[in-house]
Amino acid sequence: MNKLLADESWWNASRYNEALQAFSPIVVDAFFDGLQASVPNPVALRDSVIPLPGRADGYARVLFVGTTGAGKTSLLRHLIGSNPDKDRFPSTSTAKTTVSDIEVIPDDGPYRAAVTFFSEHAIRANVEDCVVAACSAVWDSMGDEKVADRLLHHADQRFRLSYLLGAWKTPSDDVADDDWDFGGGDGPSAAPVADDREAVPPADAAALQIKLAGYVDRVKTIAAAMAAAIKAELLPEPSTAQPEDLQAALEIFQSELLDDEAFRDLVLDIMDDIQLRFDRLDVGTLTKRGKAARWPELWTYETADRDDFLRQVRWFSSNYAPAFGRLLTPLVDGIRVRGPLHPVFTNRRDKVVYLDGQGLGHTPDSSSSVTTHVTQRFADVDTILLVDNAEQPIQAAAQAVLRAVAASGNYGKLAIAFTHFDQVKGLNLPGFAAKRAHVLASVYNYLARLREVLNGPIVTAIERTIDAQCFMLGGLDAASEKLPGGVRAQLEQLMEQFERSITPPPLPDAKPSYDPSGLGFAVQRAAESFQRAWKFRLGFASSAEISKEHWTRVKALNRRIANELDVEYDSLRPVADFVGRITEEISNFLDHPVRWSRTPKDDTEAQEAIAPIRQAVFRELHSLAVARLVDQHLADWRRGNDHKGKGSADRRAVDIRGIYELAAPVPGTVNSEPALDFMKAVRNIVRAAIEDQGGEMKTL
C-alpha cells in the first residue's frame, strides 16, 4: 500500500489489472475502489462560477437533441446571434464536432465563461486507445499515413489528437481543390474568415510535423517488434490461419502492448505534450486539482469585449484546421457562457438557457437507445428540441428520441425543428404547405408504428399536439441577416414556444390508483426485451434487425466500464437500453389504473395526470440501472476486461451476458433472490412516484 501511495503513476484506475500482478489483490481492491471518488463533478464546478438559471429565475431551459450533422449547432448560432464566418462559435461540421456540453445563458452585463475538462485518467485512456489503434495498423502492414490517422483520430470520433498535436501532412494535401470548387459567394460553401492570431505559424507547424513523425516512428518500432514475435509464435502460416486464430493473435498483441514499457513511455510523452497546450493560455484563470496541481479542471474568463471573448473561448470549442496543434477542444467536458448573446434576426430578448451537446450519431437500427447523458437531462429542462434533417426526417436516432420522450412522460416538452427544409423539393411539392405536410407525414408514420411499443393513449396525446410543435427551417449555414422571411418567422414561433414552456399546464386533480400485480409482468417483458437484444449483439442468437457487434467494440465497452470511464461506448449503451425497455413497459402499466379519484374528462386529461408519474419513474431508473449493471458488478467487468488469448472474446461475451442476467433477471414462476430484489427495487420506484403525485398503489 505504501508503494502504491508513494508512486503517482499508479494513481490511475486504468492500471488496476496491472496492479493485481504486482501487489496483493486485497490491497489493490482497497486502493482502487476509492480512486475515482475524488473526481470533481464538472457541472458543479461550472455552477460554482456561473449558476445555471431556471424557472425560479424566469429562465426556460432548452435541450438540443439530434443526429450528427442535422444542424443543431447551426440553429444555436442564430438563437445567440453568432455569425458563422466571424464568430465561428460554436463550431460546426458534417462530422461529430460538438463533443462537450455547451451551455449558453443570454443576459446583460459582461461576457463570462466557465470551461471544465475531462479527467487526466479519461484523456490518458483515450490516448492509449489511439496508440493501440496505430500499433494495430502496423500489425496490418498499413503505411505511415494510415498509422498516423489511427493515432490522431479515435475510433468513436469523439477524441481527436490532431486538434492537439497537429494534422499529419501528406502529399495529397498540396493538390489544388479547384476541381472540387462548387462555387464561392456568401452561401454555405464560402470559407470562414481566417484569423491569423489563431493559425499555427509555419515554423511551429513544421516543428509539429517533426514531432508527429517521431511519434509515428516510435509506434512502428514498438509494434513491429512485438508483432513479429507474436506472429512467429502463433501464426507461422498466416495464409492458412483460421479467423479465430487471427483474432486471438491480434487481441494478445493489443493486450501485451498495454504492458509494454516502451508503449507506456510513448503514452506518457504524448500526455506531457498535451499538457503543454495549456501553457499557451495567457488570459483567464486556470485552476488545477490535487496537491500536485498537475491537471487542469476549470478555466474561467470575464471581459466586456465580445470579439476577444469569443476568440478566447474558441480555443476550447473550435475545429478550425489552421489552428490544429493549439486547440484544446478534445480535452473539454463542458463550456458555459453568459453575456449579451442575443439573436440578431429579431428584437426579442427572451430568457432562455440553451443546452447543446454531442450529436446522437446515425444509429443503424431503431432498437438503439438514446444515451443517458441526454436522457438524464430531460427532467431539468422545459423544452426538448429535437433537431432533424427535413430531407430524410425521423430516421433511427430521431425515432429513439421520440420513443424515449413518449415513454418517459416528457412529450409535453417536445418540439421538433426540421432543418434543410429549403432542400425539400419535388414536382409534387409546389409550396410550403405541401412540403410541410410531406415532412410531417414521416412523423405521423413513426407514431403509428410506436403504437406497437406503447399504448395508444400516449401516442394519441402526442399526435394531438405535435403539429403545432414542429418548425421548418432552412439556410441556417448563412448569417442571420441573410435568412429568408419565412425562416425568420419560423424562428420567431420557435422562440415563442420556448417562452411558453416555462409555464407548464396545471396538473389535473384526478389521481390514479393501481394494482401492483400487473407490474411483475411489465418487469418480465422489459427484462426479456433487454436480454434478447444483447444476446443478438453478443452473438448468442441471430436477428435480421440487430447485428452481432464486432469483438473489438465489445472489448472497448468492457474496458470503459471496467476502468470507470463511462457506461457506454459509441452506440453500445447497456444502461440506456435497460432504462429504455423498463420505462416503456412501466409506461404501459401506468396507462391502466384500476380506478381514479374522479373520472378524467378525456384521454388528454388522463395522460396529463399520469405524465408526472412517468417522469419520476424515468428519473429514478437511471440510478437503478447504473447500480445494477455497473456498480454491483465492477469486479465482473474487470474480469471480463482481463481475458486474453484464443477464445477470449467468447469468454468475455459469456461474462457480460452473465452480468446482464444477474442485473436484469427475467422474473418467472419461481424466482431467484436477484430476480426478487430486482422486482422489489422497481416496485419501490413506481410506488414512490405514484404516491408522490397523490395516487395510490395497493400493498401486496
Side-chain angles (χ1 to χ4, degrees):
M1 180 63 78
N2 287 334
K3 289 181 179 179
L4 287 169
L5 292 170
D7 186 351
E8 289 189 21
S9 67
W10 291 108
W11 300 3
N12 188 319
S14 65
R15 299 194 67 186
Y16 173 83
N17 290 320
E18 185 180 349
L20 286 175
Q21 307 301 317
F23 304 101
S24 164
I26 296 176
V27 172
V28 171
D29 285 337
F31 180 80
F32 280 89
D33 275 349
L35 190 59
Q36 290 298 93
S38 62
V39 175
N41 182 337
V43 175
L45 280 173
R46 297 195 294 273
D47 283 340
S48 68
V49 180
I50 306 175
L52 194 69
R55 289 182 183 178
D57 309 290
Y59 274 83
R61 294 181 181 177
V62 177
L63 175 65
F64 285 65
V65 185
T67 55
T68 299
K72 293 188 298 93
T73 307
S74 294
L75 172 57
L76 176 60
R77 283 179 170 181
H78 289 283
L79 296 174
I80 66 174
S82 177
N83 185 284
D85 297 330
K86 178 184 176 184
D87 297 332
R88 291 183 287 114
F89 175 80
S91 297
T92 63
S93 82
T94 55
K96 290 183 180 179
T97 304
T98 305
V99 296
S100 62
D101 291 330
I102 296 179
E103 305 159 340
V104 183
I105 309 168
D107 193 15
D108 297 329
Y111 295 92
R112 302 172 62 199
V115 178
T116 52
F117 304 99
F118 290 111
S119 68
E120 182 179 11
H121 166 52
I123 297 302
R124 175 171 170 171
N126 282 327
V127 171
E128 288 177 348
D129 287 346
C130 290
V131 178
V132 167
C135 290
S136 298
V138 177
W139 171 277
D140 292 330
S141 303
M142 295 182 179
D144 288 2
E145 185 175 346
K146 290 295 185 182
V147 173
D149 181 68
R150 296 277 188 90
L151 176 66
L152 296 175
H153 302 99
H154 196 280
D156 70 357
Q157 301 181 44
R158 294 178 59 187
F159 181 76
R160 292 181 170 90
L161 271 173
S162 57
Y163 287 27
L164 297 155
L165 304 182
W168 180 260
K169 184 124 176 112
T170 66
S172 60
D173 293 333
D174 297 325
V175 177
D177 287 333
D178 293 346
D179 290 342
W180 293 95
D181 185 0
F182 289 95
D186 299 323
S189 61
V193 177
D195 189 335
D196 291 338
R197 294 173 296 179
E198 297 179 25
V200 177
D204 291 348
L208 288 172
Q209 284 297 306
I210 293 173
K211 181 161 281 189
L212 269 179
Y215 287 148
V216 170
D217 286 342
R218 290 172 67 181
V219 166
K220 291 163 60 179
T221 300
I222 294 167
M226 186 175 293
I230 292 176
K231 288 181 177 180
E233 181 180 353
L234 301 179
L235 303 172
E237 293 293 338
S239 60
T240 60
Q242 297 298 312
E244 57 268 25
D245 294 326
L246 296 172
Q247 173 183 311
L250 176 57
E251 186 161 3
I252 289 172
F253 169 73
Q254 293 178 345
S255 298
E256 292 195 4
L257 280 172
L258 297 173
D259 297 328
D260 184 74
E261 185 175 352
F263 174 92
R264 290 199 297 267
D265 288 343
L266 175 56
V267 170
L268 290 174
D269 287 346
I270 293 175
M271 288 296 294
D272 289 342
D273 207 355
I274 288 172
Q275 280 194 277
L276 293 176
R277 300 302 179 268
F278 289 103
D279 294 343
R280 296 196 68 259
L281 294 174
D282 53 3
V283 299
T285 301
L286 189 66
T287 305
K288 299 183 179 181
R289 70 182 298 264
K291 294 181 180 179
R294 281 178 41 85
W295 191 258
E297 65 175 7
L298 176 68
W299 178 83
T300 58
Y301 187 52
E302 180 175 328
T303 180
D305 187 327
R306 175 188 171 91
D307 291 341
D308 176 66
F309 178 77
L310 292 177
R311 185 170 70 87
Q312 301 301 337
V313 170
R314 278 198 297 267
W315 294 120
F316 307 96
S317 66
S318 177
N319 61 352
Y320 185 49
F324 281 10
R326 290 185 169 184
L327 300 177
L328 296 166
T329 307
L331 310 178
V332 176
D333 166 83
I335 301 173
R336 184 174 299 177
V337 296
R338 184 165 190 158
L341 298 162
H342 302 291
V344 299
F345 63 84
T346 179
N347 292 324
R348 297 179 67 100
R349 294 295 181 265
D350 296 338
K351 289 187 173 183
V352 182
V353 176
Y354 300 108
L355 308 174
D356 190 16
Q358 181 183 338
L360 298 177
H362 299 280
T363 53
D365 62 80
S366 57
S367 67
S368 296
S369 301
V370 183
T371 170
T372 54
H373 188 71
V374 169
T375 57
Q376 282 179 311
R377 308 191 81 169
F378 283 2
D380 300 324
V381 301
D382 302 293
T383 298
I384 301 167
L385 181 64
L386 172 60
V387 182
D388 201 22
N389 189 335
E391 293 182 275
Q392 297 178 320
I394 313 299
Q395 299 300 304
Q399 291 174 11
V401 173
L402 287 178
R403 185 170 170 175
V405 168
S408 64
N410 286 290
Y411 58 85
K413 300 178 179 182
L414 177 67
I416 308 179
F418 287 103
T419 60
H420 302 91
F421 186 71
D422 51 320
Q423 301 301 314
V424 178
K425 300 174 183 178
L427 296 176
N428 61 326
L429 304 173
F432 174 81
K435 293 177 180 178
R436 188 176 193 275
H438 172 75
V439 173
L440 290 182
S442 67
V443 180
Y444 289 111
N445 286 340
Y446 176 67
L447 290 177
R449 285 188 284 131
L450 192 57
R451 292 178 185 273
E452 299 173 8
V453 178
L454 300 175
N455 286 332
I458 190 170
V459 178
T460 301
I462 298 174
E463 290 174 334
R464 288 197 187 101
T465 59
I466 196 65
D467 184 83
Q469 294 169 205
C470 290
F471 307 88
M472 306 296 150
L473 307 171
L476 297 182
D477 289 336
S480 293
E481 297 87 348
K482 299 178 181 179
L483 291 175
V487 175
R488 293 191 186 196
Q490 289 284 293
L491 285 171
E492 290 263 11
Q493 293 176 27
L494 181 61
M495 295 188 72
E496 290 173 3
Q497 173 76 20
F498 297 160
E499 188 177 27
R500 289 194 299 269
S501 69
I502 198 174
T503 308
L507 292 176
D509 59 357
K511 303 300 179 183
S513 297
Y514 295 92
D515 185 332
S517 58
L519 191 57
F521 294 104
V523 174
Q524 182 185 59
R525 288 191 297 268
E528 286 177 340
S529 178
F530 172 78
Q531 297 283 2
R532 183 170 58 253
W534 276 95
K535 283 181 182 178
F536 297 146
R537 294 190 180 105
L538 294 173
F540 294 106
S542 58
S543 166
E545 297 180 354
I546 304 177
S547 302
K548 178 183 177 181
E549 293 291 343
H550 194 273
W551 66 270
T552 55
R553 285 170 51 80
V554 175
K555 182 179 179 181
L557 170 68
N558 196 154
R559 183 168 182 252
R560 282 178 178 264
I561 295 177
N563 292 333
E564 302 180 70
L565 295 170
D566 205 343
V567 295
E568 58 190 40
Y569 173 77
D570 196 29
S571 60
L572 298 182
R573 300 165 180 164
V575 171
D577 292 343
F578 182 101
V579 172
R581 302 300 78 78
I582 297 181
T583 299
E584 289 163 3
E585 295 300 338
I586 292 177
S587 178
N588 291 335
F589 165 78
L590 293 173
D591 267 331
H592 296 93
V594 293
R595 62 178 179 275
W596 291 85
S597 60
R598 71 162 175 81
T599 304
K601 293 181 293 185
D602 51 29
D603 284 344
T604 298
E605 187 179 42
Q607 290 303 313
E608 289 175 352
I610 297 172
I613 301 174
R614 288 192 172 100
Q615 293 170 16
V617 170
F618 185 66
R619 182 172 59 250
E620 294 302 318
L621 282 176
H622 283 81
S623 299
L624 178 69
V626 172
R628 293 192 65 87
L629 282 170
V630 178
D631 296 344
Q632 295 175 14
H633 295 281
L634 199 52
D636 300 320
W637 285 106
R638 286 171 173 163
R639 184 177 62 251
N641 188 49
D642 210 28
H643 287 309
K644 298 179 182 179
K646 188 174 182 179
S648 59
D650 292 336
R651 294 195 298 274
R652 183 177 299 109
V654 169
D655 282 351
I656 293 175
R657 182 181 177 184
I659 293 171
Y660 294 163
E661 288 176 341
L662 288 173
V666 179
T669 305
V670 178
N671 289 304
S672 62
E673 185 174 346
L676 293 172
D677 289 343
F678 179 38
M679 286 192 294
K680 181 180 179 180
V682 174
R683 186 167 59 246
N684 288 343
I685 288 174
V686 176
R687 181 185 300 278
I690 292 170
E691 293 177 350
D692 287 348
Q693 295 300 322
E696 64 176 2
M697 189 165 77
K698 292 180 181 178
T699 302
L700 286 176

